[in-house]
């Protein structure tokens, strides 16, 4: 049963530290999405890639966030420096060139 | 622009009650429509979909019909169970981006 995996599942860090979240999309999927979920804002699309190329990162604060796909099996989301307002659950999802997205279990980030 | 509006929650029902969660959309062209479900502590999962007018998506006892005349895609289930307690998201996909526009989510709580 193919699944999207994310690491770490939980991360607690202090303000100002760098945070890196990793995602392994389902093998063969060519589209990868990063979302952020909070109680206040709900589910927000941060960035997405197709065939490893960034298509849209307009939802991402550019000064501190960066997203990359070093290869087809790994997507990363980095925050540097982190701030308390970045505390949220970050989801990765993958899919083919359709709208059926498969979500990972998420990384719960707490910035103190 | 494209948008999705869901009824506000939380929705609280007794076991075996009938469920309706309203969803309306605004879109140009002919979008595909989806319902995703998020169980506590997990990522979103695709529940059902419909890709053209009058299509009915169904899964696990849930149904939704794509109504172009009323721009709606309401989710229904005849008899809910405690295990259906979750957050339900209506979403639309339009164009060829693979990107989904999500509603704000509706929390369903089913009591025994």
């Amino acid at each position: 049963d193919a699944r999207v995996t994310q690491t770490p599942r939980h991360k607690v860090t202090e303000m100002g530290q760098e945070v890196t979240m990793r995602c392994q999309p389902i093998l063969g999927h060519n589209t990868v999405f990063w979302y952020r979920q909070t109680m206040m804002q709900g589910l927000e699309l941060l960035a997405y890639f197709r065939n490893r190329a960034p298509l849209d990162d307009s939802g991402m604060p550019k000064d501190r966030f960066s997203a990359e796909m070093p290869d087809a099996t790994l997507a990363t989301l980095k925050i540097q420096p982190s701030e308390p307002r970045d505390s949220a659950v970050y989801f990765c999802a993958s899919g083919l060139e359709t709208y059926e997205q498969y979500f990972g279990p998420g990384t719960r980030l707490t910035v103190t | 622009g494209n948008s999705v509006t869901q009824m506000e929650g939380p929705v609280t029902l007794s076991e075996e009650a009938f469920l309706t969660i309203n969803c309306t959309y605004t879109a140009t062209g002919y979008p595909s429509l989806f319902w995703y479900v998020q169980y506590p502590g997990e990522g979103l999962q695709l529940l059902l979909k419909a890709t053209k007018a009058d299509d009915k998506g169904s899964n696990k006892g849930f149904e939704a019909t794509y109504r172009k005349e009323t721009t709606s895609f309401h989710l229904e289930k005849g008899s809910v169970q405690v295990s259906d307690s979750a957050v339900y998201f209506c979403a639309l996909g339009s164009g060829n981006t693979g990107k989904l526009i999500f509603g704000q989510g509706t929390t369903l709580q089913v009591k025994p």
Side-chain angles (χ1 to χ4, degrees):
Chain A
D1 187 21
R3 298 186 182 200
V4 174
T5 58
Q6 290 186 246
T7 56
R9 292 294 312 277
H10 303 272
K11 176 74 175 178
V12 179
T13 191
E14 292 184 348
M15 183 173 62
Q17 297 298 305
E18 178 177 301
V19 175
T20 298
M21 291 169 270
R22 294 177 174 80
C23 167
Q24 183 171 13
I26 292 173
L27 190 64
H29 283 186
N30 67 343
T31 309
V32 174
F33 303 82
W34 282 106
Y35 292 90
R36 176 170 63 184
Q37 187 176 40
T38 61
M39 290 294 291
M40 293 300 295
Q41 300 296 327
L43 194 65
E44 303 173 275
L45 177 66
L46 297 175
Y48 75 105
F49 296 77
R50 177 168 291 167
N51 298 322
R52 295 176 56 200
L55 286 191
D56 185 353
D57 61 1
S58 59
M60 207 163 63
K62 302 290 191 306
D63 56 338
R64 299 184 299 108
F65 284 60
S66 62
E68 296 179 345
M69 282 201 72
D71 61 60
T73 64
L74 177 64
T76 62
L77 180 66
K78 290 186 181 181
I79 308 174
Q80 169 62 20
S82 57
E83 297 181 1
R85 60 181 167 151
D86 301 329
S87 297
V89 181
Y90 290 82
F91 289 104
C92 172
S94 73
L96 293 169
E97 294 182 22
T98 65
Y99 296 101
E100 294 185 31
Q101 297 181 17
Y102 295 80
F103 282 71
T107 294
R108 181 175 294 276
L109 174 65
T110 302
V111 183
T112 61
Chain B
N2 297 344
S3 66
V4 175
T5 302
Q6 292 181 232
M7 64 187 285
E8 288 202 20
V11 174
T12 302
L13 296 173
S14 298
E15 209 166 20
E16 299 184 2
F18 184 86
L19 168 71
T20 300
I21 300 178
N22 290 339
C23 171
T24 57
Y25 68 90
T26 302
T28 54
Y30 302 94
S32 295
L33 300 173
F34 303 83
W35 278 100
Y36 279 78
V37 59
Q38 184 179 27
Y39 298 104
E42 299 184 10
L44 281 70
Q45 303 174 26
L46 178 63
L47 181 60
L48 53 83
K49 67 178 182 180
T51 58
K52 61 183 188 296
D54 300 324
D55 266 2
K56 177 185 283 188
S58 61
N59 186 24
K60 300 181 181 180
F62 291 89
E63 293 183 340
T65 301
Y66 188 160
R67 301 283 188 202
K68 190 164 179 62
E69 64 276 11
T70 55
T71 62
S72 65
F73 193 53
H74 305 322
L75 182 68
E76 296 181 337
K77 186 174 185 183
S79 175
V80 293
Q81 305 301 312
V82 172
S83 57
D84 294 326
S85 298
V87 182
Y88 292 82
F89 292 89
C90 185
L92 73 82
S94 183
N96 63 353
T97 64
K99 195 166 70 169
L100 288 170
I101 306 297
F102 284 95
Q104 72 270 34
T106 301
T107 299
L108 170 65
Q109 184 177 25
V110 180
K111 297 188 173 181

